[in-house]
Amino acid sequence: AADRRPDAAAAAGGESPGQRFVKPKRTVKCKDHHEQGYCDFGSLCAFVHSEGDVGSDVPEKAAMCKKSGCERKDCYYAHSEKERRRPDWKTEDCPYPNCKKAAPQCRFVHHAEDARMQKNLRKLMEAEKVCPQGVSVNFLHSMFMNKMETKYPTYLSSFLDLGKFVWGTHDDPKQTPVDFLGHATLVDPKDDQHGVSLCHAVGADTPEHVGNATLFVSWVWRYKVKELIAALYEYCIRQKLNPATTFVWICFFCNNQRHWMKPGADSDSPDGVTAFGENLRKIERIVFVVDDFIDPIFLKRIWTVFEVFTAMNLHKKHDMVLLEDARSRAEEFDFEGAGDFLAKIDVKKAEATVRADQERILRELEQRGQGGAEGVNNTVRKLLLDELKRLLADIYVAKITRGALR
């Protein structure tokens, strides 16, 4: 990388505390601009791009501080690349008529569409500081499923398969994510890297399909894509909720999976446990999507057990939603079967994909639950039993209504 400290900036960077800064001037040609035909810093570059730049002030925080260990809070210079100023992503028109970078990778605007989507993305990021953003059930049920079934039907077997397709895998760093919904080319303002959540990609393109999350969905990545989305849509219809304005927080769509799916994610992925708690506190209701009563995956995953337990402790409004197979079996379900179902809850046997998550969640559960692990199991059983009673009552009422029972 070229040394990007102009002579004047380097000379002035060693001023003592209390001494007034003398603004450095642009005097040296920008090597990147003149030799490579491209400079990421644009109008904020500390070097000369054109004759009009010669002798002009170097913008504040555009040059690196020369003084080792500088601790001046009012220092004119940057002390790290992160602090160093450069144009915000897609806010300035590209100054290079023959730009050699592909439009999605260029920091500058090549098309009005670039600027529109990045502007919408920044709005989403601001809204997310107040409330987690979710994607509408209507979008998932219509546009998302239509595109998947038309173009990528082979990846609908499970969210695990879809995740590898959309994000790549832990094991193959060379695998290029498919830019589904534009998520791979949009730039995350948080770290200035390509790759945002699918929810953010949807909101950047069509803002009406993303809004403050109203439902937190507790589920498992092994579920079939179509079945989960169909269950959520049917839930909206039964509860008389408008699918277009029911925004669901589903980790697959709403987390930036670039951080979790990258190589080495087991050791340096974001703190999902803390993030989960913060999101659930801000979302009014949680729905538990259960796949089966005989051999439920839902009860074998420590994340879902943790979510049920946390929802109980936070006194969250909650509902149980069944996937298609579980709902058909529920019609033959009885309270003896309910007992067998609840007996399968054992937090010590529940697993997570990331071993560190599993160990940390188990520690937290044992610390929070009265009576250790078994206390956690009993808390989860109590909440799910309440949901099962309500669910079975609804099913029997429906059967009576259509004349199945006499």
Side-chain angles (χ1 to χ4, degrees), residues 74-348:
D74 62 341
C75 185
Y76 192 81
Y77 307 96
H79 300 90
S80 67
E81 284 298 328
K82 186 176 181 179
E83 185 183 19
R84 192 172 180 189
R85 289 180 65 199
R86 63 183 74 197
D88 289 335
W89 195 270
K90 304 294 186 183
T91 55
E92 295 185 10
D93 289 336
C94 184
Y96 302 100
N98 300 314
C99 180
K100 297 177 181 178
K101 287 197 173 186
Q105 281 74 47
C106 180
R107 170 172 291 278
F108 304 102
V109 175
H110 280 237
H111 308 287
E113 185 71 357
D114 286 343
R116 181 186 72 85
M117 292 184 70
Q118 287 295 151
K119 182 178 180 180
N120 288 339
L121 182 59
R122 286 191 289 273
K123 286 182 179 179
L124 279 178
M125 295 292 191
E126 286 301 311
E128 210 155 41
K129 294 177 181 178
V130 178
C131 181
Q133 299 297 288
V135 63
S136 77
V137 174
N138 189 60
F139 172 84
L140 295 176
H141 188 255
S142 57
M143 298 181 188
F144 177 79
M145 283 307 305
N146 287 342
K147 185 170 183 177
M148 287 300 305
E149 290 178 326
T150 302
K151 292 190 174 183
Y152 314 110
T154 57
Y155 294 97
L156 288 173
S157 57
S158 74
F159 280 93
L160 283 174
D161 291 334
L162 182 58
K164 294 173 185 177
F165 168 71
V166 173
W167 296 101
T169 67
H170 289 242
D171 303 325
D172 186 4
K174 294 182 180 179
Q175 183 175 337
T176 303
V178 175
D179 193 20
F180 190 63
L181 304 174
H183 74 285
T185 50
L186 281 167
V187 171
D188 189 339
K190 292 180 180 178
D191 61 8
D192 211 25
Q193 299 294 314
H194 290 282
V196 299
S197 72
L198 293 176
C199 177
H200 285 159
V202 173
D205 186 29
T206 51
E208 66 272 20
H209 296 309
V210 171
N212 292 344
T214 51
L215 292 177
F216 184 104
V217 180
S218 178
W219 66 295
V220 178
W221 278 50
R222 295 182 194 175
Y223 291 174
K224 293 179 181 179
V225 178
K226 189 173 183 178
E227 286 190 8
L228 175 69
I229 292 173
L232 292 173
Y233 186 79
E234 290 170 10
Y235 169 79
C236 288
I237 301 304
R238 289 198 304 273
Q239 298 291 329
K240 295 182 172 54
L241 300 174
N242 183 350
T245 55
T246 300
F247 300 103
V248 289
W249 196 96
I250 305 176
C251 59
F252 181 90
F253 293 97
C254 300
N255 278 336
N256 187 345
Q257 299 297 339
R258 168 169 60 86
H259 301 302
W260 274 270
M261 300 292 285
K262 66 185 179 181
D266 282 14
S267 60
D268 63 356
S269 60
D271 184 354
V273 175
T274 300
F276 150 73
E278 292 173 352
N279 288 330
L280 184 54
R281 283 183 180 86
K282 295 177 182 178
I283 300 174
E284 183 177 358
R285 182 179 291 270
I286 183 170
V287 291
F288 310 113
V289 184
V290 176
D291 59 301
D292 192 13
F293 293 116
I294 307 302
D295 188 27
I297 302 173
F298 184 87
L299 298 183
K300 294 179 180 179
R301 307 302 293 173
I302 199 165
W303 271 109
T304 43
V305 174
F306 183 41
E307 288 159 2
V308 175
F309 177 82
T310 305
M312 185 76 168
N313 280 354
L314 293 176
H315 306 289
K316 285 289 174 180
K317 298 176 183 177
H318 48 78
D319 291 301
M320 183 182 287
V321 176
L322 301 182
L323 296 186
E324 183 178 355
D325 289 346
R327 189 158 188 85
S328 62
R329 291 184 184 181
E331 297 197 358
E332 308 303 325
F333 200 54
D334 55 25
F335 284 100
E336 183 178 348
D340 293 339
F341 170 75
L342 296 173
K344 292 181 172 67
I345 298 170
D346 188 344
V347 67
K348 286 191 173 182

